Amino acid sequence: MKVEVISLFPEFVEQVVKVGIPRKALDCGALQFNARDLRNYSDGADRRVDDRPYGGGPGMVMEPGPLSDAIAAAKTAIGSSAKVIAMSPQGIPMTQALMKALSAEPGLILICGRYEGLDERVTPQIDLEVSLGDFVLSGGELAAMVLVDAVARLLPGVLGHEGSAEADSFSAGLLDHPHYTRPPLWRDAPVPDVLLSGDHAKIARWRLKQALGATFLKRPDLIEKLDLSRTHAELLREFLSEHSGEKNQASK
Ligand code: 9D3
């Protein structure tokens, strides 16, 4: 996949592909990445790309000219079929389903806003608006970096078998189960016996039960969306009878 990010802070956005899985995606050729400096498309010698809002009010608006030229240049670089995505507080919230859909695209052009927002007249050039969630950021860069991180790890060949477990419909839509490593006894806290038993069917059942329980306690909204199978509902009941008195996060 080819990704272009258009930003006033390209050296900041580049950090996302310097470490971890996004870097590995670059190194193995699954990801091609470029951060494009919007200031290079300013019409003036002053390199300004913003101006005062018509109608008055606080803040500045991103001019349509430089943005439009930067999008055109990005399309020339990675192909005109690339999807143009504006990072925006008005966008649809990011979800794993969206990341999965975007990871199947041949190219993405991510636009990072600063100031109050983009001139409305560039919207015909935008395919999708995406948000990180209902809170206020100072610009779109961190949202674009989050998107690149989440998409890079879904690209074919980037993750080994550690990634395929996620596709497992068995645990889809649930929070993770608890994890333990050595030592088997640490500050009076033992590792649950079942994990040392070597009985892999029993371990899988325990992990699913813990995942269902954790999801019920910490994210009841996710459980409501799920429509649990009989086995899953039974495992959750079992978890709750073993953990009576524990409160969910919301009622703490
Ligand atoms: C006063 C109205 N504000 C809108 C909520 C103005 C405003 C705040 C923050 C306009 C732009 C911004 C900058 N934010 C982003 O560019 C942004 C963002 C965000 O603020 N929250 C969640 N996701 C995103 S993606 C891009």
Side-chain angles (χ1 to χ4, degrees):
M1 162 182 282
K2 296 176 177 173
V3 176
E4 283 266 346
V5 181
I6 298 169
S7 167
L8 289 169
F9 303 101
E11 65 298 324
F12 174 41
V13 176
E14 262 164 21
Q15 301 309 312
V16 70
V17 292
K18 297 267 169 80
V19 297
I21 291 165
R23 178 182 179 161
K24 195 180 160 214
L26 264 197
D27 292 347
C28 78
L31 178 66
Q32 187 182 307
F33 181 89
N34 181 52
R36 196 170 284 273
D37 190 343
L38 182 61
R39 285 201 196 283
N40 293 342
Y41 301 87
S42 168
D43 337 335
D46 51 4
R47 302 196 20 105
R48 240 189 348 92
V49 294
D50 63 319
D51 207 337
R52 292 168 304 165
Y54 277 118
M60 300 293 271
V61 176
M62 309 218 5
E63 296 169 18
L67 259 176
S68 182
D69 290 349
I71 294 169
K75 285 195 168 176
T76 299
I78 67 169
S80 56
S81 67
K83 202 164 205 146
V84 180
I85 303 177
M87 313 314 299
S88 157
Q90 283 83 40
I92 58 163
M94 293 187 200
T95 60
Q96 189 61 16
L98 176 67
M99 300 305 181
K100 200 154 196 188
L102 294 179
S103 72
E105 293 287 334
L108 300 177
I109 298 169
L110 309 181
I111 302 170
C112 305
R114 286 269 150 177
Y115 319 118
E116 285 308 297
L118 318 181
D119 187 298
E120 189 64 22
R121 292 166 293 180
V122 298
T123 51
Q125 299 176 40
I126 289 163
D127 298 310
L128 187 67
E129 283 183 273
V130 169
S131 163
L132 201 50
D134 293 337
F135 44 85
V136 182
L137 297 171
S138 52
E141 283 77 10
L142 285 169
M145 291 162 81
V146 166
L147 193 154
V148 169
D149 183 282
V151 165
R153 55 187 296 289
L154 295 175
L155 298 175
V158 174
L159 283 191
H161 55 273
E162 33 173 338
S164 54
E166 188 182 45
D168 193 350
S169 62
F170 198 54
S171 54
L174 294 176
L175 300 184
D176 210 352
H177 56 75
H179 301 273
Y180 293 87
T181 186
R182 292 188 294 178
L185 183 67
W186 182 73
R187 295 188 181 173
D188 295 332
V191 172
D193 281 335
V194 57
L195 297 179
L196 310 174
S197 70
D199 183 337
H200 293 289
K202 218 170 138 194
I203 291 169
R205 187 179 183 280
W206 181 86
R207 284 180 168 164
L208 177 57
K209 181 165 72 176
Q210 299 303 315
L212 285 159
T215 310
F216 180 87
L217 293 176
K218 298 176 185 182
R219 291 291 305 276
D221 57 309
L222 294 181
I223 288 283
E224 276 160 39
K225 277 195 248 173
L226 267 175
D227 189 27
L228 296 183
S229 72
R230 271 162 140 235
T231 341
H232 285 208
E234 181 49 46
L235 276 173
L236 177 55
R237 268 192 294 276
E238 203 175 298
F239 176 94
L240 291 172
S241 72
E242 291 163 4
H243 296 75
S244 56
E246 278 179 43
K247 287 196 166 172
N248 71 29
Q249 209 111 301
S251 58
K252 259 190 194 167

